[in-house]
Amino acid sequence: MSKINNYLNLNTLITFIILISFSLGFYFQENSSGGAIDFTHVLNNLNTFHNNSFFKINWMDYESSALPLYYVVNSLFYDPENLLTMRVFCMILSILSFILFFQILKMKFKIETSLIFLIASLIFLSPYFRTSTYWMMEENFPILMILLSFYFYFKLNIKFNYVSLFLAIFFSACAFFSRQNYIILNFILFLLVFDWDKIFSKKNFWIIMFYLISFSPIIYFIIIWESLITPQLAAEKRALIFYFYNIPYVMNIILIYIVPFIYLKKESIIIFLSKNKFPLSLFFLIYCLIFYKFNPDVHGGGAINKLLFTITDDLILKYVTIIFSYLSFVILFFLFKSEKIIITFFLLNILLFCTISPVWQEYFDPIILIFILIFSKILININLRRFVYILALYLTLFLSSSIVYQNSILI
C-alpha cells in the first residue's frame, strides 16, 4: 500500500511541477518555440477583425495561412488597449484542453487517476503549445476543438446518440476552420464513426448530413478567396504545389515524437533489426537514390533540422538528414504497422505537408503526441508508469533544449 502511495505522490509531484512551469511561462511570456516572432501578424489579424465586420474584411490584409475561426472567436475578447483579457482567455483555452485530454484518457485507460493527470499534463511541456498560449497564437484553438471532437467520439463509444455524433463532427469542423491541416483528423473521425458494415443506414445518412452542415461555411471562402488557401499563402505561392523533398523534413519532425515509444518494444525492435539487416540496408540504398537531389534548407524542417545545421554542413548534413528520416520510417512502421488509424494519420500528414513549404514543427506539435496517446493500442495492457516517467523526462529535455536554443539566438 505504501508503494502505491509513493507512486501517487510522485505522479502528483511531477504534475504539479509541470503545471507550475506552465504558469511561470505565462508570467514571464516564455518564447520556447520562437513563434513569438509572428505576434505582429497575430496582432494585425486581431485588429483587422476588431475594426471590421466579418463580411467587410479585406482579406488581403489577413496575414495568416489558416482559416479564421480563431480570430472570429478571439475578437470577442480582444481589447487593443489591454491585452490581458485575451491573454487570460488563451490561458483558459489551454487549461480546458488539458482537462478534456484528461477526460478522454480517463475513458481510454483503466489506471490510477494521478497517472492520467500526469499523462494529460505532458501537453504543457510542448514548446509550441506553451508559446501559442503565452503569445495568443493560432495553434492551440484547433487543438481544443479537436479534443472536444474526440471527447464526444469517446462518449459515442460508451453510449450512442445523435447529439454526441453531431457535436463530434461539428467540433472537428471547427478545428478545420481554425487550421486547414486538421482536415486529416476530420477524415480520421469519418473513418471511425461511419458504419462500413451498413452503408445505406440511418446513422450513415445523418453522418453525411452533419458533415455537410458543419463544413458548409467553406463555400463562402471558396467564393471569396477562389481557393481553399488564404490570399497571403496564394500570393507567396507556398501551397498546392507538391514538394517531394519535404518528405525528409516531415519524417524528421515525426521522429522527435515517436522515439520515446521505442521503449515499449525495445526488445522486439532489436530482434527486428538483427533479422532484417539485408532488406533494411537495401531499402536504405533505394531511399538514398530517391533523395539524392535533396538539399537541406535552413528554413523550417523542425528541431532536428536546426540541430544538424548547427553541427555540420554540406554533404554530411544532407546524408545525416536522409539517414534520420529513413530511421523515422523504419521506427514508424515497426511501432504502428498493425494500427491502421495511426498509420493512416501519419501517411496523410506526409502527403499533406508535401503541398506546403516550408514545413514548420508547430504543425505537428503537440497534436502528434495527443493523437498517439489517445488512439494507439500499444499503450493498452502494459505497465504505463515507467514509460510515462521516461516520456515526461524526454519532453522536459526537449523543452529545455528549445528554451536554451531560443535564448542563444537572442544572445
Side-chain angles (χ1 to χ4, degrees):
M1 197 69 171
S2 60
K3 190 173 181 181
I4 294 174
N5 288 333
N6 287 339
Y7 282 127
L8 188 150
N9 292 335
L10 181 57
N11 296 340
T12 305
L13 176 62
I14 298 172
T15 305
F16 179 73
I17 292 171
I18 292 172
L19 294 176
I20 290 295
S21 162
F22 186 67
S23 302
L24 288 173
F26 179 81
Y27 179 78
F28 290 109
Q29 284 195 281
E30 173 194 303
N31 180 27
S32 50
S33 75
I37 195 172
D38 292 327
F39 180 64
T40 54
H41 301 298
V42 172
L43 208 57
N44 170 78
N45 294 337
L46 288 167
N47 286 321
T48 299
F49 279 82
H50 179 74
N51 296 324
N52 301 278
S53 68
F54 180 82
F55 294 104
K56 292 184 179 180
I57 287 173
N58 180 355
W59 290 105
M60 293 306 296
D61 295 333
Y62 181 57
E63 299 175 0
S64 175
S65 61
L67 284 160
L69 181 59
Y70 167 78
Y71 294 106
V72 173
V73 174
N74 271 11
S75 64
L76 302 174
F77 302 89
Y78 177 62
D79 179 359
E81 304 300 323
N82 183 7
L83 294 179
L84 181 61
T85 303
M86 208 184 103
R87 288 187 68 215
V88 171
F89 174 68
C90 289
M91 186 71 167
I92 291 170
L93 291 181
S94 297
I95 292 170
L96 287 174
S97 294
F98 161 68
I99 294 170
L100 276 168
F101 193 26
F102 166 76
Q103 292 294 337
I104 296 166
L105 293 171
K106 193 175 179 182
M107 286 187 272
K108 175 178 179 176
F109 296 114
K110 306 303 178 186
I111 53 177
E112 62 264 36
T113 302
S114 65
L115 187 58
I116 299 176
F117 261 116
L118 175 54
I119 299 170
S121 72
L122 295 180
I123 61 170
F124 291 140
L125 294 176
S126 159
Y128 300 87
F129 190 85
R130 292 165 72 98
T131 301
S132 184
T133 301
Y134 310 145
W135 291 90
M136 298 164 280
M137 304 186 77
E138 302 167 354
E139 284 73 24
N140 287 11
F141 187 77
I143 288 174
L144 174 62
M145 294 298 102
I146 207 66
L147 283 170
L148 278 166
S149 176
F150 290 161
Y151 172 77
F152 285 108
Y153 165 71
F154 274 84
K155 295 286 280 186
L156 279 174
N157 289 341
I158 296 171
K159 184 179 179 181
F160 179 84
N161 66 79
Y162 284 101
V163 174
S164 293
L165 177 62
F166 172 73
L167 290 173
I169 294 169
F170 173 76
F171 285 116
S172 75
C174 288
F176 167 75
F177 284 111
S178 309
R179 272 285 186 193
Q180 290 95 312
N181 60 291
Y182 280 73
I183 192 66
I184 291 172
L185 293 170
N186 301 148
F187 180 68
I188 295 289
L189 179 67
F190 178 80
L191 293 178
L192 291 169
V193 298
F194 196 80
D195 189 345
W196 297 98
D197 294 325
K198 298 178 181 178
I199 302 293
F200 301 103
S201 63
K202 176 185 175 183
K203 177 186 174 184
N204 286 349
F205 169 79
W206 283 111
I207 288 171
I208 293 169
M209 290 302 299
F210 291 159
Y211 266 97
L212 290 173
I213 293 167
S214 299
F215 281 85
S216 59
I218 198 60
I219 297 170
Y220 172 80
F221 294 103
I222 291 173
I223 293 170
I224 295 297
W225 294 350
E226 298 180 351
S227 174
L228 282 175
I229 61 174
T230 64
Q232 183 198 48
L233 201 59
E236 294 173 357
K237 297 181 180 179
R238 289 176 44 217
L240 302 184
I241 300 171
F242 194 79
Y243 300 94
F244 178 73
Y245 292 108
N246 275 7
I247 292 176
Y249 296 130
V250 173
M251 293 313 302
N252 283 348
I253 293 172
I254 291 172
L255 181 63
I256 293 169
Y257 303 100
I258 61 175
V259 159
F261 292 88
I262 294 173
Y263 172 80
L264 299 174
K265 293 188 175 184
K266 54 185 183 298
E267 292 87 5
S268 302
I269 201 166
I270 292 171
I271 296 170
F272 172 77
L273 292 173
S274 63
K275 285 186 175 180
N276 295 278
K277 291 177 183 176
F278 177 74
L280 288 172
S281 299
L282 179 61
F283 285 131
F284 175 65
L285 290 174
I286 295 170
Y287 190 78
C288 287
L289 287 172
I290 291 171
F291 291 102
Y292 80 100
K293 288 186 177 180
F294 169 76
N295 289 308
D297 190 334
V298 70
H299 298 292
I304 289 179
N305 193 49
K306 290 183 175 67
L307 174 64
L308 294 178
F309 262 97
T310 61
I311 60 177
T312 186
D313 55 17
D314 299 330
L315 280 176
I316 295 175
L317 172 63
K318 172 180 176 176
Y319 286 106
V320 171
T321 302
I322 290 172
I323 289 168
F324 273 114
S325 66
Y326 178 71
L327 285 174
S328 183
F329 269 114
V330 173
I331 294 169
L332 184 65
F333 170 77
F334 179 82
L335 288 175
F336 304 112
K337 60 186 175 183
S338 61
E339 301 192 46
K340 293 179 181 178
I341 288 296
I342 301 289
I343 290 295
T344 301
F345 171 74
F346 280 114
L347 286 176
L348 291 175
N349 270 283
I350 293 166
L351 290 173
L352 177 66
F353 288 106
C354 281
T355 64
I356 186 169
S357 183
V359 179
W360 303 103
Q361 192 162 335
E362 67 193 42
Y363 302 149
F364 300 84
D365 188 315
I367 192 62
I368 283 182
L369 186 65
I370 290 171
F371 190 84
I372 294 175
L373 289 172
I374 289 176
F375 288 103
S376 177
K377 296 175 183 177
I378 64 173
L379 299 170
I380 300 173
N381 299 324
I382 64 164
N383 187 342
L384 267 179
R385 191 180 294 114
R386 184 176 293 182
F387 169 69
V388 173
Y389 295 159
I390 291 170
L391 185 57
L393 177 61
Y394 176 83
L395 294 173
T396 300
L397 290 172
F398 180 59
L399 172 62
S400 303
S401 301
S402 298
I403 292 172
V404 169
Y405 177 78
Q406 292 304 325
N407 286 330
S408 68
I409 290 176
L410 292 174
I411 293 171

